[in-house]
Amino acid sequence: MLDIKVLRDDPGAVRAGALKKRLPDRAAAVDRALQLDAELRALLPSLDALRSGQKQASKALGKLSPAEREQHLQQQKQVKAEVAVLEEREKQLRADLEAQLALVPNVPDPEVPEGKDDTENVEVRRWGEVRDFGFPVRPHDELAEAQGWLDQQRASDMSGSRNYFLFGDLALLHDAVLRFAIDLMVDRGFVPVDPPVLVRDKAMYGTGFFPGGEEQTYRCEKDGLNLIGTAEVPVTSLHGGEMLAEEDLPKRFVARSGCFRREAGTYGKDTRGLYRVHQFQKVEQVIVDVADRERSIRHHAHIVDNAEALLQAFELPYRVVAVCGGDLGVPQAMKYDIEAWMPSRKGYGETHSASRFYDYQARRLVLRYRPKDGGKPLFCHTLNNTVVASPRILIPLLEMHQQPDGTVRVPAALQPYLRGRSVIGKALA
RNA sequence: GGAGAGGUGGCAGAGUGGCCGAUUGCGCCGCCUUGCUAAGGCGGUGUACCGGAAACGGUACCGGGGGUUCGAAUCCCCCCCUCUCCGCCA
């Protein structure tokens, strides 16, 4: 949610931002919001004056004699009816304004590249070499099935497509990457969190997933709860509605959770293997800090660096891309994706997504802090990034570290999490 | 799932129809007293919106939403949450 004052001051910039995100209908919401805002502001002075009169008269009424009282009572009933009409109008306008304002996307930063979709994201840097294997490379799913580590057939029979069973050493590796990720982040000063995975609409709305993301979300209608697609939702919402002290900021969290995504509208896309699945585990980093753009930008660089440290420890080549306008979500002001090299895809595949929001989420969440100098409360800035998502990360791990005989080398950083083993799997025929 | 008690400002905690946007305490800010520290005295201190250059004025807000009333933190209804007891249970 943007401040309505930003729309009043510079509607053109907000409209242009929505268009940069390739969301023309959301750009139209800017004008609808301003129209409603103007109507509301035209209404309020007269309504307030009317209410003021009513309030005073009511107060006086308490002190009148019974005879005078009767006469004034009739007058007051009239006023009451007038106020009721205007209040109804006010309520409607406020609700409509809120709804339109919620549709207005965050304005992308100037540094966000122009572009229509992910093919126009701009590479910022690369790390690591895409080595020449010198033997036929097995796709991760074939390798994993051959090792007895993966069963997608029975998972589909049981739970539908895009589900999986992991077994044996791959199940252990899955857990190892997650635990490594948490340790890495705890070492870097983040507070570990195990959040709820079922949340009310308020948290989905507050983080900007609703309205718009309903089709991507599993919903437990009976209880009015939603399964989260990322721990960003509960963790960023953690202090929603609260007034933090500046001394408490920044807050840095690292959360591990199950993540659930319906993947509606992706039929036929990434159908193979463990790339796009309905349920996965993710370790997510979230930062809440003061309203300072420069600081947000620095945090953004840091959370990208945290993810790069993990990929480097996993010895996986990757690149960082600046996400273009058309591929940017509604609430984000700027986003970097990190993509690891995946031989079976013959390309880089997204493993991390680092977003900064400024106060867009905090406004929706009413997440505020009181500045040290005792000034007016301000909305916080929020950011988040993946630390690791698994099983997706297992794709490059298996594919890049496989050996000619079908065994898989374990990077040194992960060996402590596998009881010191440096290789997993048996020699395949 | 059943029974009860509660949800009030940054925090704690009064307030059962008009004198309440709300006593008081803590915290915070300013001034004063005081060799330092500790302690004390006086004053100030909620949020949002509207109007205003500002001073300031107005309105709304006592978990959320409806209702009764000229008037609601206070009475009624629905929902959410917290706590205690009982039941069930990984």
Side-chain angles (χ1 to χ4, degrees):
Chain A
M1 177 109 61
L2 293 174
D3 190 343
I4 183 70
K5 289 177 193 136
V6 171
L7 308 216
R8 282 180 206 152
D9 292 347
D10 198 351
V14 179
R15 237 182 265 119
L19 293 174
K20 190 172 183 180
K21 288 185 172 180
R22 304 297 200 268
L23 298 168
D25 49 327
R26 299 286 185 121
V30 174
D31 299 297
R32 288 196 295 271
L34 284 172
Q35 173 62 33
L36 291 162
D37 179 53
E39 281 184 52
L40 185 62
R41 289 210 286 171
L43 174 73
L44 281 177
S46 54
L47 176 57
D48 281 356
L50 199 59
R51 274 200 284 226
S52 179
Q54 181 190 34
K55 209 170 156 179
Q56 298 226 320
S58 285
K59 260 180 194 166
L61 197 65
K63 293 164 186 148
L64 292 177
S65 68
E68 295 170 303
R69 207 182 180 120
E70 194 50 42
Q71 179 195 348
H72 286 263
L73 249 164
Q74 291 312 311
Q75 279 182 21
Q76 281 304 94
K77 286 193 181 186
Q78 298 251 325
V79 176
K80 187 188 178 183
E82 286 179 59
V83 170
V85 171
L86 293 184
E87 277 185 340
E88 187 55 40
R89 180 78 188 128
E90 183 201 10
K91 217 173 69 186
Q92 189 63 49
L93 283 170
R94 282 193 194 282
D96 291 348
L97 175 58
E98 167 94 15
Q100 291 305 318
L101 207 50
L103 289 173
V104 175
N106 201 356
V107 180
D109 263 10
E111 64 182 300
V112 171
E114 286 290 344
K116 62 179 187 310
D117 58 34
D118 60 0
T119 61
E120 297 190 69
N121 292 344
V122 173
E123 186 173 302
V124 175
R125 62 179 164 275
R126 286 183 190 214
W127 182 90
E129 283 190 37
V130 180
R131 71 183 168 106
D132 181 18
F133 283 80
F135 60 88
V137 176
R138 291 178 164 93
H140 70 282
D141 52 328
E142 283 178 28
L143 176 60
E145 281 181 15
Q147 290 286 1
W149 288 339
L150 173 67
D151 189 336
Q152 297 198 99
Q153 185 56 55
R154 288 189 178 85
S156 297
D157 291 348
M158 189 171 308
S159 308
S161 65
R162 299 195 192 287
N163 282 288
Y164 55 89
F165 277 95
L166 298 184
F167 300 103
D169 286 345
L170 192 59
L172 294 178
L173 183 64
H174 170 72
D175 199 53
V177 300
L178 296 163
R179 284 185 294 140
F180 173 89
I182 289 174
D183 285 351
L184 172 77
M185 296 304 291
V186 169
D187 285 346
R188 291 184 171 213
F190 285 66
V191 175
V193 188
D194 192 318
V197 297
L198 283 164
V199 299
R200 295 180 198 286
D201 290 345
K202 196 160 99 170
M204 297 299 290
Y205 173 86
T207 42
F209 287 91
F210 288 176
E214 290 84 352
E215 282 302 303
Q216 280 304 321
T217 307
Y218 286 105
R219 182 170 173 80
C220 306
E221 195 55 60
K222 204 182 282 182
D223 301 290
L225 293 170
N226 308 284
L227 274 165
I228 60 172
T230 162
E232 167 193 349
V233 174
V235 177
T236 310
S237 303
L238 178 64
H239 292 292
E242 294 182 27
M243 181 83 70
L244 302 172
E246 181 169 352
E247 291 74 17
D248 297 337
L249 299 172
K251 288 194 175 280
R252 299 185 171 103
F253 298 110
V254 56
R256 172 180 174 168
S257 80
C259 301
F260 305 87
R261 301 186 182 181
R262 293 186 68 234
E263 299 297 349
T266 60
Y267 303 113
K269 201 171 156 189
D270 311 313
T271 50
R272 268 197 80 159
L274 296 171
Y275 190 79
R276 192 178 294 276
V277 290
H278 286 306
Q279 176 190 335
F280 55 97
Q281 293 285 318
K282 183 154 64 73
V283 175
E284 180 81 2
Q285 38 182 332
V286 173
I287 296 182
V288 177
D289 202 0
V290 296
D292 180 326
R293 290 177 81 92
E294 293 308 313
R295 256 172 99 157
S296 271
I297 290 166
R298 282 203 298 277
H299 283 315
H300 203 186
H302 284 141
I303 62 179
V304 170
D305 182 71
N306 294 337
E308 290 188 63
L310 178 131
L311 288 174
Q312 290 178 16
F314 288 1
E315 300 169 31
L316 297 174
Y318 64 84
R319 64 173 191 164
V320 179
V321 301
V323 170
C324 74
D327 195 29
L328 204 56
V330 169
Q332 286 94 21
M334 209 278 165
K335 180 158 91 172
Y336 293 105
D337 280 353
I338 305 178
E339 304 173 336
W341 181 259
M342 301 182 184
S344 64
R345 295 173 68 86
K346 296 185 177 64
Y348 288 98
E350 180 187 325
T351 54
H352 297 73
S353 189
S355 304
R356 70 171 184 259
F357 301 88
Y358 300 126
D359 64 2
Y360 190 89
Q361 290 183 318
R363 276 182 189 280
R364 289 171 167 244
L365 290 164
V366 195
L367 169 55
R368 294 179 298 173
Y369 70 99
R370 170 129 10 229
K372 262 195 279 242
D373 63 14
K376 288 279 175 193
L378 296 170
F379 291 100
C380 295
H381 281 192
T382 63
L383 304 96
N384 65 64
N385 186 14
T386 320
V387 184
V388 77
S390 185
R392 185 177 281 191
I393 197 67
L394 302 178
I395 298 170
L397 276 173
L398 292 184
E399 294 181 355
M400 294 302 295
H401 297 325
Q402 65 181 290
Q403 303 183 104
D405 64 355
T407 60
V408 176
R409 187 174 65 80
V410 178
L414 283 172
Q415 289 174 15
Y417 296 89
L418 289 167
R419 300 192 168 193
R421 287 196 290 159
S422 56
V423 175
I424 54 173
K426 55 184 185 283
L428 299 172

